[in-house]
């Protein structure tokens, strides 16, 4: 495709471009809002899962088991089903069950257990000796969490953030089901259902670039905070 | 300073009951360096972890500076632990914090102001000789430097007691000596009571004034370091000292070893010198007196607290009769003699 061809396509398709820009915005809003809220709730849940484990700092097997079951249930429901099943909850929280804001609710709820497990895994990587050393120097449990566990697990947690955001990019493609919009939705409606290969290609390329950027930024941050 | 009274620790492994510690009693004086030595699995790690209740004893009392730790509430225990420093075999430094911030951690926990922390930490880094490493991350330090940071960190909250859990076991001999030197220094300058556990005889010999031997979860023997090594009272203590002195017979000798004396063979003898042995130049004396030549194969002699002790493997070259006489003479001098066999 020569430069001229691109320019011609550009001028002839301003409406489509507008649509792509809008949907890119919607995807970004969905991914980052649900990611942000997901982490605000998922990190504490992951910490709790880790601490309540056997021989954990706040061992509580009843709590650990019940949280584990809830998290497993959350993780086993296919996202497309969760999206539809959560419609009443969504309506209760945002007042409507269609649109970008409405898609954020299932995305967030889908992300929380996912994040919790990833964070739990990251915390597991922290050598138990460090917690012991902190206990020996008279750290309270909350201080151990804030000053030892979370900072030491930070590279793993950032990695978890990266993986989650990339997964959310994928999940957000299904948001079209509830009128959430986004690039995935454009790809399905314009690209697949209207047989427009170009639109399909453009959405896919944008998604690929987005994932690349998220991954690179994540990797870079991990490198910066990892002093192990 | 530290009193360990009738401490028992039982672990349950499924249905199996493991007595990790049985009825341990120890008193460690203020300002002393006390060593607990034992082979791995003897329970010494459990013992030191009981002192700050990282491991809660099944029964018994742990009294540190007049406070019975086993009776404290969780919060009280947390605060009391700030007066008990601890260092570990694997240092346990936070990889996410620089040297400075690692040492600052106990002070942060205690809620001390930034300015005070800075002064305190810089003083501590000077004490352990790491001023130039303040902004370095632990990953870029050597083992010895890491342990120095750990010591500075343990000292930050001005503890009265320092617990050393195999603190030199991951270090090479030269570094071990420099860390022991540092421990001796802080013991003197800060009048700090140090309890250390180790499996290395060199550590106990190097800095401890008193020592306890622990085996199978039981306190086998305790006393002044010199006395202990020179006059071990119990069989286990002796065995332990001997195992640390271990002199094994070289393989080619082993192959040539005969159980009985045959033509042209000479006895291979293990001599054990203890505090009870007569302090005299017995080897040259025996050679002269009984007209034998003594070929020393290997020897591990040591001098602790005014007594010589150790093991020696030697061949007695001479007639059968003179060798017998020499052995009898050595026995009379209270040297333990064991004929291991006859070398062709």
């Amino acid at each position: 495709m020569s430069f001229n061809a691109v320019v011609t396509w550009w001028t002839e398709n301003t409406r489509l471009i507008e649509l792509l820009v809008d949907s890119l915005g919607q995807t970004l809003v969905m991914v980052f809002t649900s990611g942000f809220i997901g982490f605000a709730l998922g990190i504490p849940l992951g910490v709790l899962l880790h601490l309540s484990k056997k021989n954990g700092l706040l061992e509580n097997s009843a709590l650990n088991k019940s949280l584990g079951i809830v998290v497993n249930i959350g993780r086993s429901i296919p996202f497309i089903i969760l999206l539809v099943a959560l419609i009443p909850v969504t309506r209760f929280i945002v007042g409507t069950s269609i649109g970008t804001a409405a898609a954020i609710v299932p995305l967030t709820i889908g992300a929380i257990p996912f994040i919790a497990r990833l964070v739990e895994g990251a915390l597991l990587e922290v050598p138990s000796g460090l917690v012991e050393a902190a206990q020996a120097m008279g750290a309270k449990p909350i201080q151990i969490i804030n000053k030892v566990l979370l900072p030491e697990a930070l590279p793993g947690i950032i990695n978890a953030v990266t993986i989650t955001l990339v997964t959310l990019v994928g999940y957000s493609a299904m948001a079209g089901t509830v009128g959430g919009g986004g690039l995935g939705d454009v790809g399905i409606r314009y690209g697949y259902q209207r047989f427009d290969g170009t639109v399909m290609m453009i959405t896919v390329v944008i998604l690929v670039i987005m994932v690349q950027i998220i991954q690179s930024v994540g990797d870079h941050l991990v490198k910066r905070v990892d002093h192990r | 300073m530290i009193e360990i009274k009738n401490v028992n620790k039982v672990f349950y492994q499924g249905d199996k009951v493991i007595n990790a510690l049985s009825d341990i009693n120890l008193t460690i004086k203020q300002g002393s360096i006390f060593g607990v030595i034992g082979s791995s699995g003897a329970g010494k790690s459990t013992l030191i972890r009981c002192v700050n209740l990282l491991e809660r004893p099944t029964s018994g009392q742990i009294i540190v500076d007049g406070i019975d730790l086993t009776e404290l509430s969780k919060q009280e225990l947390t605060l009391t632990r700030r007066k008990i420093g601890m260092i570990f075999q694997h240092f346990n430094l936070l990889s996410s914090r620089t040297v400075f911030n690692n040492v600052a951690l106990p002070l942060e926990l205690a809620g001390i102001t930034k300015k005070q922390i800075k002064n305190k930490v810089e003083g501590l880094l000077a004490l352990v000789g790491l001023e130039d490493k303040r902004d370095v991350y632990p990953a870029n330090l050597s083992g010895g430097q890491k342990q120095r940071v750990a010591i500075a960190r343990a000292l930050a909250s001005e503890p009265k007691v320092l617990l050393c859990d195999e603190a030199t076991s991951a270090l090479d001999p030269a570094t071990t000596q420099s860390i022991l030197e540092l421990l001796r220094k802080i013991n003197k300058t800060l009048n700090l009571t140090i309890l250390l556990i180790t499996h290395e005889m060199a550590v106990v010999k190097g800095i401890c004034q008193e020592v306890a031997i622990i085996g199978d979860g039981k306190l086998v023997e305790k006393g002044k370091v010199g006395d202990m090594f020179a006059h071990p009272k119990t069989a286990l203590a002796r065995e332990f000292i001997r195992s640390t002195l271990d002199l094994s017979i070289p393989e080619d000798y082993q192959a040539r070893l005969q159980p009985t004396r045959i033509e042209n063979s000479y006895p291979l003898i293990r001599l054990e010198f203890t505090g009870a042995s007569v302090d005299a130049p017995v080897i040259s004396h025996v050679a002269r007196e009984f007209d034998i030549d003594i070929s020393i194969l290997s020897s591990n002699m040591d001098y602790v607290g005014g007594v010589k002790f150790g093991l020696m493997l030697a061949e007695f070259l001479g007639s059968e009769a003179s060798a017998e006489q020499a052995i009898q003479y050595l026995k009379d001098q209270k040297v333990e003699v064991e004929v291991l066999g006859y070398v062709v």
Side-chain angles (χ1 to χ4, degrees):
Chain A
M1 209 175 357
S2 72
F3 179 70
N4 273 341
V6 173
V7 173
T8 326
W9 184 88
W10 189 273
T11 46
E12 281 172 3
N13 291 281
T14 45
R15 267 200 57 209
L16 182 63
I17 287 161
E18 242 170 66
L19 182 74
L20 284 170
V21 170
D22 282 351
S23 59
L24 174 63
Q26 286 161 347
T27 294
L28 290 174
V29 167
M30 284 190 287
V31 167
F32 285 94
T33 314
S34 59
F36 184 79
I37 304 172
F39 273 98
L41 300 172
I43 291 179
L45 185 58
V47 170
L48 212 55
L49 274 172
H50 179 72
L51 295 182
S52 60
K53 227 174 258 169
K54 194 169 188 306
N55 295 326
L57 204 51
L58 307 169
E59 186 178 335
N60 184 337
S61 67
L63 178 70
N64 187 270
K65 283 225 175 73
S66 37
L67 284 180
I69 290 171
V70 171
V71 165
N72 287 346
I73 291 173
R75 291 206 53 199
S76 53
I77 300 172
F79 182 68
I80 188 86
I81 293 174
L82 194 70
L83 199 61
V84 184
L86 282 177
I87 284 176
V89 181
T90 308
R91 196 173 285 143
F92 176 74
I93 295 175
V94 268
T96 170
S97 59
I98 44 170
T100 308
I104 288 172
V105 176
L107 278 173
T108 307
I109 291 174
I112 291 171
F114 187 70
I115 294 165
R117 281 294 183 212
L118 287 175
V119 168
E120 186 192 8
L123 291 171
L124 210 59
E125 300 276 297
V126 178
S128 61
L130 297 187
V131 174
E132 219 159 62
Q135 282 179 303
M137 62 179 90
K140 298 171 186 139
I142 186 78
Q143 290 175 318
I144 295 179
I145 296 167
N146 287 330
K147 290 188 180 284
V148 179
L149 279 176
L150 290 177
E152 286 294 310
L154 192 59
I157 291 175
I158 293 178
N159 214 9
V161 172
T162 313
I163 294 171
T164 306
L165 290 178
V166 169
T167 305
L168 283 172
V169 170
Y171 280 0
S172 72
M174 300 176 210
T177 319
V178 293
L183 286 169
D185 186 35
V186 170
I188 294 281
R189 283 192 292 126
Y190 290 73
Y192 178 67
Q193 285 162 355
R194 289 167 73 173
F195 304 107
D196 189 339
T198 317
V199 175
M200 181 65 103
M201 187 63 92
I202 293 171
T203 56
V204 169
V205 168
I206 297 176
L207 287 171
V208 167
I209 292 172
M210 203 155 132
V211 167
Q212 293 289 353
I213 292 174
I214 292 172
Q215 191 66 49
S216 311
V217 171
D219 288 347
H220 176 75
L221 286 175
V222 168
K223 228 179 182 174
R224 269 195 52 177
V225 300
D226 193 356
H227 300 288
R228 283 176 293 191
Chain B
M1 193 50 152
I2 305 176
E3 270 185 89
I4 299 170
K5 280 190 182 168
N6 307 320
V7 163
N8 285 282
K9 176 74 191 180
V10 184
F11 289 114
Y12 297 95
Q13 226 170 42
D15 294 337
K16 248 177 43 192
V17 177
I18 299 161
N19 289 304
L21 294 174
S22 323
D23 209 21
I24 304 281
N25 282 289
L26 276 181
T27 305
I28 295 150
K29 288 198 291 283
Q30 154 73 29
S32 67
I33 305 184
F34 195 103
V36 174
I37 190 162
S39 41
S40 44
K44 54 190 194 307
S45 235
T46 309
L47 177 64
I48 201 166
R49 290 160 53 84
C50 276
V51 175
N52 61 1
L53 256 60
L54 278 181
E55 208 82 71
R56 191 169 272 278
T58 311
S59 67
Q61 289 174 298
I62 303 283
I63 299 164
V64 178
D65 199 18
I67 301 168
D68 184 353
L69 300 188
T70 56
E71 288 188 342
L72 298 179
S73 70
K74 261 192 175 163
Q75 283 86 349
E76 287 170 325
L77 177 63
T78 297
L79 295 178
T80 310
R81 275 180 178 155
R82 294 184 181 166
K83 289 294 161 210
I84 305 173
M86 188 168 192
I87 57 175
F88 304 84
Q89 179 174 6
H90 298 295
F91 324 120
N92 291 345
L93 300 176
L94 301 195
S95 66
S96 58
R97 286 172 171 247
T98 59
V99 165
F100 182 95
N101 286 325
N102 261 292
V103 179
L105 181 60
L107 301 169
E108 283 177 32
L109 297 178
I112 287 166
T113 63
K114 277 235 164 82
K115 205 179 147 210
Q116 280 174 301
I117 289 180
K118 189 169 175 287
N119 287 337
K120 182 81 198 169
V121 173
E122 278 169 357
L124 285 164
L125 289 179
L127 178 73
V128 300
L130 287 176
E131 300 105 309
D132 55 331
K133 299 284 184 196
R134 60 168 283 168
D135 296 320
V136 173
Y137 285 93
N140 300 320
L141 296 176
S142 69
Q145 289 169 332
K146 282 182 196 169
Q147 199 57 288
R148 281 166 188 274
V149 177
I151 290 171
R153 181 176 72 175
L155 295 179
S157 50
E158 296 177 1
K160 294 177 176 149
V161 171
L162 181 65
L163 308 175
C164 308
D165 186 359
E166 297 271 11
T168 57
S169 300
L171 305 174
D172 61 65
T175 315
T176 295
Q177 285 310 319
S178 80
I179 293 293
L180 295 182
E181 194 59 50
L182 176 62
L183 288 177
R184 199 181 296 124
K185 182 170 110 182
I186 58 178
N187 166 252
K188 279 222 179 84
T189 54
L190 307 174
N191 194 25
L192 190 73
T193 309
I194 298 179
L195 170 62
L196 63 86
I197 63 153
T198 181
H199 62 263
E200 296 166 302
M201 164 118 132
V203 171
V204 170
K205 240 172 49 198
I207 68 166
C208 295
Q209 286 128 21
E210 282 181 276
V211 61
I213 294 190
I214 184 168
D216 257 346
K218 295 184 191 69
L219 192 69
V220 175
E221 202 171 326
K222 60 184 166 184
K224 293 235 160 58
V225 170
D227 295 350
M228 165 78 74
F229 282 113
H231 314 280
K233 292 186 209 76
T234 57
L236 210 75
R238 247 182 73 178
E239 195 178 301
F240 187 79
I241 291 170
R242 191 187 274 200
S243 77
T244 61
L245 285 170
D246 180 42
L247 288 186
S248 46
I249 306 164
E251 223 166 282
D252 56 324
Y253 267 80
Q254 189 78 58
R256 287 189 286 143
L257 213 55
Q258 304 291 328
T260 51
R261 183 151 186 155
I262 53 167
E263 197 75 22
N264 280 332
S265 70
Y266 297 105
L268 180 66
I269 288 168
R270 173 159 56 202
L271 302 172
E272 186 178 352
F273 297 84
T274 66
S277 306
V278 174
D279 187 15
V282 286
I283 297 295
S284 54
H285 188 86
V286 162
R288 229 178 307 122
E289 189 85 352
F290 303 104
D291 192 27
I292 56 169
D293 290 312
I294 297 177
S295 162
I296 298 173
L297 199 60
S298 58
S299 164
N300 195 343
M301 299 296 294
D302 224 317
Y303 182 84
V304 175
V307 266
K308 275 180 270 185
F309 65 96
L311 287 175
M312 185 182 286
L313 280 184
E315 282 174 279
F316 282 15
L317 312 169
S319 73
E320 187 168 357
S322 50
E324 288 302 323
Q325 283 172 330
I327 289 169
Q328 191 51 50
Y329 174 80
L330 286 167
K331 282 182 175 164
D332 293 343
Q333 305 299 310
K334 301 270 192 276
V335 177
E336 308 266 336
V337 184
E338 189 186 346
V339 179
L340 299 169
Y342 299 88
V343 184
V344 186

